[in-house]
Amino acid sequence: MLVDGKEMRSLWYEDDSLKLIDQRSLPAKLEIFEAKDENEVAYAIKEMVVRGAPAIGCAAAYGIAMAKDKQKAAEILANTRPTARDLFHAIEYMLDKIEYGEDALKAAEKYVEEIVGKCRKIGEHGKRLISPNARILTHCNAGALACVDYGTALAPIRMARDKNPFVWVDETRPRLQGLLTSWELEQEGIEHAVIADNAAGYFMEKGEVDLVIVGADRITSNYDVANKIGTYEKAVVAKENDIPFYVAAPLSTLDKSIKSGKDIEIEERGEEEVTKIFSWKPKKVRNPAFDVTPAKYITGIITEEGIINPAE
Amino acid sequence: MLVDGKEMRSLWYEDDSLKLIDQRSLPAKLEIFEAKDENEVAYAIKEMVVRGAPAIGCAAAYGIAMAKDKQKAAEILANTRPTARDLFHAIEYMLDKIEYGEDALKAAEKYVEEIVGKCRKIGEHGKRLISPNARILTHCNAGALACVDYGTALAPIRMARDKNPFVWVDETRPRLQGLLTSWELEQEGIEHAVIADNAAGYFMEKGEVDLVIVGADRITSNYDVANKIGTYEKAVVAKENDIPFYVAAPLSTLDKSIKSGKDIEIEERGEEEVTKIFSWKPKKVRNPAFDVTPAKYITGIITEEGIINPAE
């Protein structure tokens, strides 16, 4: 991705430590967080220095690579956040490679390159869905920040830049990850407007949205999709307005061990994420971080190997 | 409504001026704004010292009552905010009464008492929709603050208090009027939880919402409803989950001169309402303040004369 006109990734290994663009400071400030061992990587995942399922997986891979006790590191890292499939996939990948005698650091690097390569392919497959001057709605940040490079939902948009796309960016309360998307799009010079999440339906109903593309944290074997809270609402309203709704994700997001969305554990995060901007402290606040969009609302899942139609 | 255990209204006339609970300071602080003439009332409406369609109408009625030049006052007040039907209804009402020789201040008082009486009746009609321990979702603030007393959407909930209702309160970005609802419910001791707007669909889909009640800014002759941005999304998702979706509004909200929602002018408000909480200034922000919910998503409209079924 471009940052101040230069190619950059959201995390990389350098001088015996994992460097991460600190996503808590963005888009206000570009700061680099340094993690020297598995505990610091676990902290970075838990505190959302790094966020986005593929990037979390990559960070965890380096966390295991840097650890002395790989099994213990796997346990520590697995206990950071429950919803993203990639985290567990990365941990399994690393333990497997290490068991077969591979150098752990090289295995982590390979894992990251695979993720980046998959995102690029998602972009190539997805860009054909984007017509000239298409107006695309996205929710949360499924961009290069979330995926080391390219992004998932943003990869097709990046690659279709010559078609002059316009992006509606849901601000994505409570954590406002839409601003990360706005920051990425501005870095790339792609036209967009940020809206309150409540306004997405308004623009869909008015015919100002041609398609929706979002990322995914976990996809079940029947193609239900767990993603950022609010995704479900957008999918229902898109279907009601006959707007194609696409999910962009590497196949590693697919968890065949889970039958349907009903079996996905949804993380509820702290109240302060919601109340931070309030001048009033309600007695009770609920803050589910993800929701599940049933497969019937999904037009297609854009993967590195092509587009899957859940209805088929 | 109860405020610190005492009965209070959101606006009243006293010592030759209109006193208004300043809704810009709530819920953090209870402050009273004083408007001494039609220009100060127009300011209060424009700047959202007072908000909510019925309360805006009541404020405008006093604005005309206090003005020397009633026709000019009517013009000034009509140019404050475009969407709420009540504003124009109140202005017409006042000019009518004055033309027929009524005392302007008494006419304004009568207008307000009529509104309050209608809200009480809306509560009485609506409370039978609420079963014991019902879980009700509401959006924005259609409470006593918005209606001088009782509220529209909140009136049935207030009157069903002995049935132990629980209220899901959408925070309602960008202006967070949900916090006004939370403040009112806490004053009345009614259990509730505030959620990000994105989470409403999650709780609907999980079966934790039994019905939805919202207010209305304008209802067209075919029963399309203009209300706070985001209402449309909630209505679509409610229908998809077979959850009854009610609109509570006095009949004066009904604008028979408008055929359908497509003909309603939607106010777009300033970017800073959205960006105020951002640490990043996107190049482009869109901020429609209302949306239109087509009649087909509405189970019933709770009015002072009973419940209208738009499908009939």
Side-chain angles (χ1 to χ4, degrees):
Chain A
M1 73 175 133
L2 287 175
V3 177
D4 298 331
K6 277 175 230 148
E7 274 298 332
M8 195 171 177
R9 287 182 166 189
S10 69
L11 60 85
W12 65 96
Y13 189 78
E14 193 185 331
D15 299 334
D16 302 328
S17 69
L18 179 63
K19 319 273 184 186
L20 307 118
I21 292 184
D22 192 333
Q23 299 191 41
R24 297 169 305 177
S25 316
L26 274 187
K29 250 190 311 189
L30 182 67
E31 291 183 323
I32 307 302
F33 182 93
E34 233 181 287
K36 292 202 161 63
D37 59 30
E38 69 273 29
N39 291 306
E40 290 179 11
V41 172
Y43 173 90
I45 295 171
K46 219 173 208 162
E47 297 300 314
M48 300 180 71
V49 171
V50 57
R51 47 149 291 288
I56 285 173
C58 293
Y62 277 114
I64 288 176
M66 291 189 291
K68 284 206 180 81
D69 183 339
K70 310 292 189 198
Q71 283 293 347
K72 204 181 135 203
E75 259 173 62
I76 290 168
L77 291 160
N79 276 309
T80 48
R81 295 191 64 197
T83 308
R85 169 69 191 144
D86 287 63
L87 172 61
F88 305 100
H89 179 77
I91 292 168
E92 285 158 25
Y93 176 102
M94 287 298 291
L95 294 182
D96 233 49
K97 298 288 177 194
I98 289 163
E99 204 185 315
Y100 283 91
E102 260 189 52
D103 175 76
L105 205 54
K106 281 206 176 125
E109 267 161 24
K110 205 172 125 195
Y111 181 83
V112 172
E113 290 313 318
E114 279 176 19
I115 291 285
V116 171
K118 286 172 187 174
C119 288
R120 203 183 50 238
K121 280 192 178 157
I122 286 170
E124 282 160 8
H125 288 296
K127 78 175 173 191
R128 67 184 169 83
L129 301 170
I130 299 173
S131 310
N133 305 311
R135 299 155 302 176
I136 305 146
L137 174 75
T138 191
H139 190 70
C140 196
N141 173 263
L145 289 167
C147 307
V148 184
D149 208 351
Y150 298 103
T152 51
L154 295 192
I157 298 169
R158 276 195 161 86
M159 300 225 174
R161 194 174 336 178
D162 55 326
K163 296 183 189 170
N164 190 36
F166 172 84
V167 186
W168 293 106
V169 179
D170 282 349
E171 62 176 5
T172 318
R173 279 278 292 154
R175 290 186 69 99
L176 302 172
Q177 291 97 333
L179 301 187
L180 300 174
T181 297
S182 169
W183 180 82
E184 282 195 37
L185 292 173
E186 180 161 328
Q187 295 286 346
E188 303 271 345
I190 295 169
E191 211 200 329
H192 64 283
V194 174
I195 54 174
D197 303 298
N198 280 327
Y202 172 83
F203 291 109
M204 286 198 241
E205 202 269 339
K206 279 187 68 178
E208 297 189 28
V209 177
D210 299 309
L211 76 161
V212 184
I213 312 180
V214 300
D217 286 82
R218 198 181 271 254
I219 302 175
T220 60
S221 64
N222 70 337
Y223 301 114
D224 290 350
V225 169
N227 191 46
K228 180 57 51 198
I229 190 76
T231 303
Y232 166 68
E233 288 194 11
K234 308 313 159 193
V236 170
V237 179
K239 185 166 184 131
E240 191 72 7
N241 289 284
D242 294 320
I243 298 167
F245 186 94
Y246 288 95
V247 173
L251 286 168
S252 58
T253 314
L254 192 64
D255 186 349
K256 287 200 174 141
S257 74
I258 299 188
K259 249 175 137 173
S260 92
K262 302 230 174 294
D263 306 316
I264 295 179
E265 182 194 347
I266 296 291
E267 178 183 10
E268 278 220 25
R269 296 183 58 86
E271 295 194 356
E272 70 288 350
E273 282 190 357
V274 179
T275 60
K276 208 166 64 177
I277 62 162
F278 293 177
S279 56
W280 159 258
K281 180 93 184 68
K283 278 210 179 125
K284 195 171 180 179
V285 170
R286 291 287 299 275
N287 183 24
F290 302 92
D291 59 25
V292 173
T293 300
K296 67 174 170 179
Y297 299 107
I298 298 165
T299 314
I301 300 174
I302 312 167
T303 76
E304 66 272 27
E305 297 194 355
I307 299 169
I308 299 171
N309 178 348
E312 274 167 15
Chain B
M1 74 176 132
L2 287 175
V3 177
D4 298 332
K6 277 176 231 149
E7 273 299 332
M8 194 171 179
R9 287 183 165 187
S10 71
L11 60 84
W12 65 96
Y13 189 77
E14 193 186 329
D15 300 334
D16 302 328
S17 70
L18 180 63
K19 319 274 183 185
L20 306 119
I21 291 183
D22 193 333
Q23 298 191 44
R24 298 169 304 178
S25 316
L26 275 189
K29 250 190 313 188
L30 181 67
E31 290 183 324
I32 308 303
F33 182 93
E34 233 182 286
K36 291 201 163 64
D37 59 29
E38 69 274 27
N39 292 306
E40 290 179 11
V41 172
Y43 174 89
I45 294 172
K46 219 173 207 162
E47 296 300 315
M48 300 179 72
V49 171
V50 57
R51 46 149 292 288
I56 286 173
C58 293
Y62 277 114
I64 287 176
M66 292 189 291
K68 284 206 181 84
D69 184 339
K70 310 293 188 196
Q71 283 293 347
K72 203 181 137 204
E75 259 174 61
I76 291 168
L77 290 160
N79 277 309
T80 47
R81 295 190 65 197
T83 308
R85 168 69 191 144
D86 287 62
L87 172 61
F88 305 100
H89 180 75
I91 292 169
E92 286 158 24
Y93 175 102
M94 288 297 293
L95 294 182
D96 233 47
K97 298 289 176 193
I98 290 162
E99 204 184 316
Y100 282 91
E102 260 188 54
D103 175 76
L105 205 55
K106 280 207 178 120
E109 266 159 27
K110 204 171 127 196
Y111 182 82
V112 172
E113 289 313 318
E114 278 176 19
I115 292 284
V116 170
K118 286 172 187 174
C119 288
R120 204 183 50 238
K121 280 192 180 158
I122 286 170
E124 281 159 10
H125 289 297
K127 77 176 175 191
R128 67 185 168 82
L129 301 170
I130 299 173
S131 311
N133 305 310
R135 298 155 303 175
I136 305 147
L137 174 76
T138 191
H139 191 71
C140 197
N141 174 263
L145 289 167
C147 306
V148 185
D149 207 350
Y150 297 103
T152 50
L154 294 194
I157 298 170
R158 276 196 160 86
M159 301 228 174
R161 194 178 334 180
D162 54 327
K163 295 183 187 170
N164 189 36
F166 172 84
V167 186
W168 293 107
V169 179
D170 282 350
E171 63 176 5
T172 317
R173 280 279 292 153
R175 290 186 69 98
L176 302 173
Q177 292 97 334
L179 301 188
L180 300 174
T181 297
S182 170
W183 181 82
E184 283 195 37
L185 293 173
E186 181 161 327
Q187 294 286 347
E188 303 270 346
I190 294 170
E191 212 199 329
H192 63 282
V194 175
I195 55 174
D197 302 299
N198 280 326
Y202 172 82
F203 290 110
M204 286 197 241
E205 202 268 341
K206 278 187 69 179
E208 298 190 28
V209 177
D210 299 310
L211 76 161
V212 183
I213 312 181
V214 300
D217 287 80
R218 198 180 271 252
I219 303 175
T220 60
S221 64
N222 71 339
Y223 301 114
D224 289 351
V225 169
N227 190 47
K228 180 58 50 199
I229 190 77
T231 303
Y232 166 68
E233 288 194 11
K234 307 314 159 193
V236 171
V237 179
K239 184 164 186 137
E240 191 73 6
N241 288 283
D242 294 321
I243 297 168
F245 186 93
Y246 287 95
V247 173
L251 285 168
S252 58
T253 314
L254 192 64
D255 186 349
K256 286 199 175 140
S257 74
I258 299 189
K259 247 175 140 175
S260 92
K262 302 228 174 295
D263 307 315
I264 295 179
E265 182 194 348
I266 296 293
E267 178 184 8
E268 278 220 27
R269 297 183 56 86
E271 296 195 356
E272 70 289 350
E273 282 190 357
V274 179
T275 60
K276 207 164 63 173
I277 62 162
F278 293 177
S279 56
W280 158 259
K281 181 91 184 69
K283 277 208 181 131
K284 193 171 182 180
V285 169
R286 291 287 299 274
N287 183 24
F290 302 92
D291 58 25
V292 173
T293 300
K296 66 175 171 177
Y297 299 106
I298 298 166
T299 313
I301 299 174
I302 311 168
T303 76
E304 66 273 28
E305 298 194 355
I307 299 169
I308 298 170
N309 178 347
E312 275 167 15

